[in-house]
């Protein structure tokens, strides 16, 4: 007789609105760690160098915040009760009752533990409270996260190939999820 695996509880999470310069710097430092760890094998170091320098840094993030994007620092509580920075997300409310999930990145130690699902629940609830009926994002076609998003109820809505400059393109899917509005 084999013992059933006991599911591990998802650690307590905190979603901190990023409003102060030191918070933006924390998110940019996380972006640097996450992008080099996760995306170099997926899209190559030259494109990661370009994208971090152009889109995942303090000035770029602050510009987005100034234009209405909302960034959230994702924190997880450890066994001692201390909050650890483990990721970040950014959303933009858009005309037509939708929310664009512009950024959603977790540190490798936070993946596979249910943390991503909990983050998505937070984002969906944020959209629902605002009466938004659609959540959408873009994801690299070769990213294993495509399947994770599908398990969370997203569907592939379009193929996108976007020139981002520097001789690079983003070869993505637009994925969408209809939301029940509160």
């Amino acid at each position: 007789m084999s013992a059933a695996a006991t599911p591990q509880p998802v650690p307590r999470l905190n979603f901190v609105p990023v409003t102060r310069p030191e918070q933006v710097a924390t998110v940019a430092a996380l972006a640097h760690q996450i992008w080099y760890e996760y995306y170099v094998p997926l899209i190559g170091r030259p494109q990661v160098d370009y994208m971090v320098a152009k889109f995942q840094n303090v000035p770029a993030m602050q510009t987005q915040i100034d234009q209405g994007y909302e960034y959230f620092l994702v924190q997880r509580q450890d066994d001692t009760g201390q909050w650890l920075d483990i990721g970040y997300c950014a959303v933009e409310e858009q005309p037509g009752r939708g929310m664009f999930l512009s950024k959603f990145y977790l540190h490798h130690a936070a993946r596979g533990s249910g943390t991503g699902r909990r983050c998505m629940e937070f984002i969906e609830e944020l959209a629902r409270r605002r009466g938004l009926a659609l959540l959408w994002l873009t994801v690299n076609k070769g990213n294993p996260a495509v399947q994770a998003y599908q398990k969370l109820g997203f569907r592939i809505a379009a193929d996108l190939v976007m020139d981002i400059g520097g001789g690079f393109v983003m070869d993505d899917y637009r994925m969408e999820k209809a939301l029940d509005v509160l």
Side-chain angles (χ1 to χ4, degrees), residues 43-109:
I43 60 176
R45 181 155 187 136
Q47 187 165 348
V48 169
D49 288 343
Y50 178 79
M51 291 182 75
V52 167
K54 185 148 177 100
F55 305 114
Q56 301 289 333
N57 58 54
V58 170
M61 291 175 181
Q62 187 60 58
T63 296
Q64 282 196 321
I65 291 168
D66 293 345
Q67 293 172 345
Y69 283 73
E70 296 171 78
Y71 275 74
F72 295 91
L73 182 60
V74 181
Q75 298 178 325
R76 178 178 63 201
Q77 195 171 33
D78 70 9
D79 294 337
T80 68
Q82 183 173 354
W83 290 101
L84 306 173
D85 301 329
I86 61 164
Y88 65 103
C89 58
V91 297
E92 179 191 33
E93 193 171 325
Q94 297 191 318
R97 298 180 30 92
M99 181 174 280
F100 172 43
L101 176 55
S102 171
K103 294 172 179 53
F104 180 29
Y105 303 106
L106 294 174
H107 192 272
H108 68 87

Side-chain angles (χ1 to χ4, degrees), residues 97-164:
R97 298 180 30 92
M99 181 174 280
F100 172 43
L101 176 55
S102 171
K103 294 172 179 53
F104 180 29
Y105 303 106
L106 294 174
H107 192 272
H108 68 87
R111 295 183 211 129
S113 64
T115 301
R117 178 178 297 277
R118 291 271 310 282
C119 290
M120 193 59 72
E121 289 168 358
F122 165 78
I123 294 161
E124 289 177 19
E125 180 64 22
L126 184 67
R128 283 187 186 99
R129 281 196 318 261
R130 295 177 183 183
L132 304 173
L134 181 72
L135 181 60
W136 68 278
L137 55 88
T138 60
V139 60
N140 181 281
K141 291 175 185 171
N143 191 332
V146 170
Q147 290 77 29
Y149 290 130
Q150 288 173 321
K151 287 180 184 176
L152 292 171
F154 284 82
R155 67 174 184 82
I156 296 172
D159 289 337
L160 304 172
V161 178
M162 297 170 285
D163 185 335
I164 58 170

